[in-house]
Every structure is written in C-alpha cells, then in structure tokens.
C-alpha cells in the first residue's frame, strides 16, 4: 500500500503551518526487505544507526532488520514492566551513551518503544524511522511522546519519525489484544469528531473539514473490514494500520491532537491517573474504546432530551474546583489539573449560545453511531466494551463522566452538558 503524502498534505492549511513531516510510509508484505534500498535512497549519509526494540519485538522483527542492515547497533530493552516512563527512557539511555555518536534511530516495536525512541531522537537532535510491530495505537507518527513521568501523565515535545515501514507479515501476527486496542483507539474518533464539531458549532473553534471528512472515510473503511481481522485477512490488517497512521497524520497536520482525541480519551487519561480508581494495566485503545462507549451512552440520552426540547440551561458554568480537589488528592496532580482549567474553557460560553445552536447539536449527535453498533464492532475483535472489562467498577461511571472533562484543556460535549438541567439524569 503506497500512501500519497503529497495529496494528504494538501488538506493542510499552509497559512497555519499545517504540514507533513515524513518522507514516506510503506504498508506492505515484506516491507522490511526494502530497508537497504530505503536507507540508500533517503538516509545514505547516516553511518551510526541504532535500533531500539524489546525482547519480543527483537525476535519478531528486530532480527530481520539486523539481517538487512548488518552494521547497525541494537538496543534490546527488557519487556517486563516496560513503559514509556523515566525507567524505560533510562534503560535505553544507558546503552545509547555507551554507543557514543549516533546519526539515526530505528524504533522497532509498539507504542512504548516508539515513545522512548522519539524522546531520545528529539534530545539527540536526530531523525528516526518507525517499524511498528502491531496495529495498536494511532501515535506512531506523533510529534509528542506520551509518557508517565514520576507517576504523572505528561506529553513531551519530541519528533515524528521520518519514515514508517510497516510490514504486514509482522503486524498482522501481533497478539490479538494489541490489534483490538488499535481498533478501540481508531473507533474513538467517532466521539472525538463529534466533540470537535459541536465545539466548532457552539464557539466557532477552528475546524478543518477536509480532515474531518477524510477521517470519516477512514472510519467507514475500518468498519467495513473489521470482520477480516478475526479471519486473519492481511488486507484488513493493512487497512487498520493505514487508518491508525492516517489518524496520526491528521494530528500531525493540525499540530495538535484535536482530530483524534476528546471525551473518550479524557476518560482514559483520568483512569490512567488513578485518582478515583486503583491503577489499571490495560492498553491505551482498550480504555479509549470503553471511554467512547460510555460517552456515547450519555450523548444519545442527551440527544433525546434535546429533541424533546423541554429543558432549561444555566446562564454560565464555573469550574467545579471542589470536585477536582476532592478527587485529585495527589498535590502535584491536583495542581496540574487546576492549571488545565485556568482559565475556564467555558468562560465565554453561555446557555443561550447552546440553545441557539440546538439544531446543529442535534444533527451532530444524530450522526454518532449508536452504542449497540459500537459494541458489535468492538466484539468483532474481542475487545473491551465495559468498565468491568478493563478492571473498573461500573459504580465509577458517573464520577468518571463528571470529572474527566477537566483533565485536559479541550472542550467536549461532555463538558458542555454541565449547562443543561438534565445533566445528572444523563450521566447516571
Ligand atoms: Zn489514542
């Protein structure tokens, strides 16, 4: 599958500096066999090349990379408790320091290995290549490294890979849970796009419709090919990897994650912060998929209230500081959350604005697929569809929905719902 980056870049607005930072992307069977040719064409001058992988990804892909590029240095990380955190970064750093001068890095693995590699590539001021070993997340081409730093979720400025070489032979054989996680992360765009469109309708927030429509096409293709994933159809896997990489490119073009992340990711972030729950150890896309489902349940309930029309709205809504302080007990985390809410992203929004935009909001909510359909999609890949599935008590649902819109400075419909008198009824 050859991807036309020039065509994709055309969707960007040059006056907003919206551009693609990659030389190319290959998604195909035996893509790794093209490595020598690619290095020769694009990165001929690089002498000292280092690949970062973990023991698992070394066995399934790293060895093959070494056979194609015999002169590279390889860092094999211990996969036990390997996370994109200060320990993972340190583990790679020890080896990188021993090697000395490095011209180019190769990330060979899933999301964690990529975030560790992009963190170091940025700090070393060098480029890197992505070799994803599972279609598990949409962050491979991210310019940010999503890390847990000393227990806190943090995104660091980092670099996008210059090249993505995705070998179907490898990522189509990844553990099924990783693939299901990729499906959850990608389907999550349904609520993310719904939130973006509503925020645009209510506040006039910038939106790029070319990107929005393109993402819907990608989602449509994903849904059409979901059956193929359980039948090990390589084309279905390529399509999932394509969708994830394109979602990443949508973020890259925009320069931030608006096209790919809102209420569903807010739930996932909240659970990862373990403020209201015990820490859980599930994949990113598993949490995002569940976030999408519980948010959609709320949005569809709200839709029926909106259609009935017999509701009232608060004139304005303040940040619920007490709710934040009561639940984010960890002082550093609490301070960070309070900072995210300074100023209140809803300070210029009034109940009247929401009433005036009622018909727009209704039609946007109507385009959101219903919960049963979403569950059927996720069930096709044996993914997670409920809070119980990811080790959380269903009792935490109302608090999750109330608190999660505060974890990031980004307007969601979940946050706007606080204006409506039916708010408590829909989040129960
Ligand atoms: Zn995500």
């Amino acid at each position: 599958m050859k991807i036309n980056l020039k065509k994709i870049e055309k969707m960007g607005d040059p006056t907003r500096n919206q551009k693609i930072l990659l030389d190319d992307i290959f998604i195909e069977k035996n893509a790794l066999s093209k490595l020598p040719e690619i290095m020769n064409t694009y990165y001929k001058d690089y002498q000292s090349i280092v690949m970062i992988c973990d023991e698992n990804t070394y066995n399934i892909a790293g060895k093959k990379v070494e056979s194609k590029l015999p002169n590279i240095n390889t860092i094999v990380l211990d996969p036990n408790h390997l996370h994109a955190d200060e320990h993972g970064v340190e583990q790679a750093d020890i080896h990188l320091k021993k090697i000395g001068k490095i011209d180019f890095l190769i990330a060979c693995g899933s999301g964690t290995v990529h975030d560790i590699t992009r963190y170091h590539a940025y700090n070393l001021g060098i480029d890197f290549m992505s070799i994803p070993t599972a279609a598990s997340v949409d962050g491979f081409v991210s310019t940010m490294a999503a890390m847990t730093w000393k227990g806190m979720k943090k995104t660091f400025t980092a670099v996008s890979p210059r090249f993505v070489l995705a070998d179907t032979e490898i990522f189509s054989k990844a553990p099924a849970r990783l693939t299901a996680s990729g499906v959850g992360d990608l389907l999550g765009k349904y609520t993310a796009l719904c939130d973006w469109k509503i925020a645009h309708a209510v506040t006039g927030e910038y939106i790029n419709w070319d990107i929005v429509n393109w993402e819907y096409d990608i989602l449509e293709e994903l849904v059409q090919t979901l059956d193929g994933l359980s039948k090990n159809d390589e084309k279905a896997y390529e399509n999932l990897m394509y969708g994830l990489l394109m979602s990443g490119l949508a973020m890259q073009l925009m320069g931030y994650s608006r096209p790919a992340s809102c209420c569903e990711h807010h739930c996932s972030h909240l659970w990862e912060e373990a403020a209201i729950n015990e820490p859980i150890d599930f994949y990113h896309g598993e949490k995002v998929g569940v976030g999408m489902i519980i948010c959609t349940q709320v949005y569809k309930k709200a839709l029926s209230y909106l259609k009935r029309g017999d509701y009232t709205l608060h004139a304005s809504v303040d940040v619920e500081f007490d709710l934040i302080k009561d639940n984010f007990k960890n002082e550093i985390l609490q301070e960070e959350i309070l900072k995210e809410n300074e100023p209140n992203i809803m300070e210029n929004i009034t109940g009247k604005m929401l009433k005036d935009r009622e018909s727009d909001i209704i039609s946007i909510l109507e385009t959101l697929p219903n919960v049963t359909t979403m569950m059927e999609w996720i069930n096709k890949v044996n993914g997670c569809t409920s809070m119980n599935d990811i080790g959380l008590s269903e009792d935490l649902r109302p608090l999750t929905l109330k608190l999660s819109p505060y974890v990031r400075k980004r307007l969601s419909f979940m946050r706007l719902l606080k204006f409506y008198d039916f708010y408590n009824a829909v989040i129960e």
Side-chain angles (χ1 to χ4, degrees):
M1 192 185 272
K2 187 88 175 65
I3 287 144
N4 189 340
L5 292 182
K6 288 270 167 292
K7 202 173 145 199
I8 293 167
E9 193 161 35
K10 283 212 176 92
M11 286 189 279
D13 179 350
T15 66
R16 287 177 179 266
N17 203 22
Q18 294 179 347
K19 55 179 190 224
I20 299 281
L21 309 162
L22 282 105
D23 295 320
D24 216 338
I25 294 178
F26 287 1
I27 306 171
E28 59 193 42
K29 209 169 171 171
N30 296 321
L32 289 189
S33 63
K34 295 204 167 143
L35 250 177
E37 187 191 324
I38 292 165
M39 293 307 292
N40 231 335
T41 312
Y42 293 91
Y43 315 111
K44 210 171 41 236
D45 297 337
Y46 295 144
Q47 299 298 317
S48 170
I49 300 166
V50 177
M51 170 170 64
I52 300 179
C53 47
D54 66 35
E55 279 164 26
N56 300 326
T57 61
Y58 177 68
N59 285 324
I60 56 169
K63 281 182 182 165
K64 205 163 176 187
V65 173
E66 280 181 340
S67 75
K68 299 290 169 195
L69 304 173
N71 295 325
I72 63 167
N73 273 299
T74 303
I75 296 174
V76 183
L77 304 172
D78 178 358
N80 291 314
H81 309 292
L82 182 65
H83 294 290
D85 59 11
E86 68 272 25
H87 307 296
V89 162
E90 170 79 17
Q91 226 197 106
D93 197 40
I94 293 167
H95 296 285
L96 288 169
K97 286 214 172 90
K98 277 189 208 147
I99 294 164
K101 187 183 175 302
I102 302 163
D103 299 324
F104 192 68
L105 291 175
I106 297 176
C108 177
S110 62
T112 301
V113 166
H114 275 73
D115 280 329
I116 293 171
T117 306
R118 93 175 77 245
Y119 178 92
H120 283 300
Y122 175 74
N123 285 307
L124 293 166
I126 58 176
D127 290 330
F128 86 99
M129 174 187 282
S130 153
I131 299 180
T133 52
S136 53
V137 279
D138 71 356
F140 295 119
V141 297
S142 174
T143 54
M144 307 297 257
M147 312 287 258
T148 305
W149 209 255
K150 301 194 167 92
M152 300 294 150
K153 293 294 295 178
K154 256 193 146 138
T155 41
F156 289 89
T157 303
V159 282
S160 159
R162 292 300 298 265
F163 209 105
V164 180
L165 196 55
D167 193 325
T168 318
E169 193 67 22
I170 290 163
F171 66 78
S172 70
K173 295 189 175 67
R177 248 189 84 196
L178 283 170
T179 304
S181 168
V183 170
D185 199 20
L186 195 49
L187 286 176
K189 310 313 157 208
Y190 275 115
T191 39
L193 291 173
C194 176
D195 280 341
W196 194 10
K197 290 191 293 180
I198 291 177
H200 167 72
V202 176
T203 69
E205 180 186 325
Y206 172 76
I207 196 162
N208 181 322
W209 288 107
D210 286 342
I211 289 181
V212 171
N213 295 328
W214 176 49
E215 288 191 82
Y216 279 120
D217 291 344
I218 290 165
L219 284 166
E220 189 62 33
E221 274 175 60
L222 168 73
V223 167
Q224 298 298 331
T225 52
L226 277 180
D227 283 324
L229 293 174
S230 53
K231 293 179 192 133
N232 292 321
D233 171 9
E234 288 184 344
K235 287 287 160 231
Y237 279 86
E238 285 180 358
N239 192 58
L240 173 62
M241 180 60 90
Y242 168 80
L244 291 166
L245 291 171
M246 294 309 105
S247 170
L249 284 188
M251 290 190 266
Q252 194 173 101
L253 262 180
M254 288 287 297
Y256 57 117
S257 63
R258 189 43 139 160
S261 159
C262 205
C263 63
E264 70 301 319
H265 275 75
H266 293 164
C267 294
S268 169
H269 295 323
L270 176 68
W271 297 325
E272 280 161 21
E273 280 160 353
I276 60 167
N277 52 279
E278 291 300 313
I280 51 171
D281 195 11
F282 283 81
Y283 293 130
H284 172 73
E286 294 178 314
K287 290 174 277 191
V288 169
V290 173
M292 169 188 71
I293 282 172
I294 64 168
C295 290
T296 301
Q297 277 161 344
V298 174
Y299 285 13
K300 291 295 186 186
K301 272 194 216 168
L303 173 62
S304 55
Y305 278 94
L306 289 172
K307 279 168 133 177
R308 255 181 272 154
D310 56 347
Y311 60 86
T312 57
L313 286 145
H314 301 294
S316 62
V317 175
D318 289 334
V319 173
E320 295 157 287
F321 287 111
D322 288 344
L323 179 76
I324 294 174
K325 286 177 187 159
D326 287 348
N327 289 289
F328 291 100
K329 298 275 189 231
N330 177 307
E331 270 176 41
I332 302 165
L333 183 56
Q334 186 187 105
E335 208 176 296
E336 297 221 346
I337 303 289
L338 291 173
K339 234 194 288 167
E340 287 290 320
N341 290 285
E342 217 44 79
N344 174 11
I345 48 167
M346 299 209 295
E347 74 179 359
N348 296 317
I349 302 172
T350 62
K352 186 177 177 305
M353 287 161 75
L354 289 167
K355 188 70 196 167
D356 289 348
R357 294 279 172 247
E358 184 189 70
S359 64
D360 289 337
I361 297 171
I362 287 176
S363 53
I364 294 166
L365 290 173
E366 275 175 335
T367 63
L368 185 65
N370 63 47
V371 174
T372 331
T373 310
M374 286 177 173
M375 285 185 171
E376 279 166 15
W377 289 336
I378 295 182
N379 283 331
K380 284 186 184 192
V381 288
N382 289 317
C384 301
T385 56
S386 70
M387 289 176 68
N388 273 330
D389 284 354
I390 54 168
L392 293 167
S393 160
E394 296 284 340
D395 297 344
L396 288 172
R397 174 202 293 252
L399 186 55
T400 294
L401 297 165
K402 245 185 213 173
L403 199 56
S404 59
Y406 290 116
V407 302
R408 290 288 184 280
K409 192 177 271 178
R410 174 161 299 162
L411 190 62
S412 61
F413 184 55
M414 195 59 78
R415 179 79 177 260
L416 288 168
L417 276 171
K418 294 178 191 286
F419 272 94
Y420 296 87
D421 65 351
F422 54 72
Y423 177 63
N424 284 318
V426 294
I427 64 158
E428 284 309 311

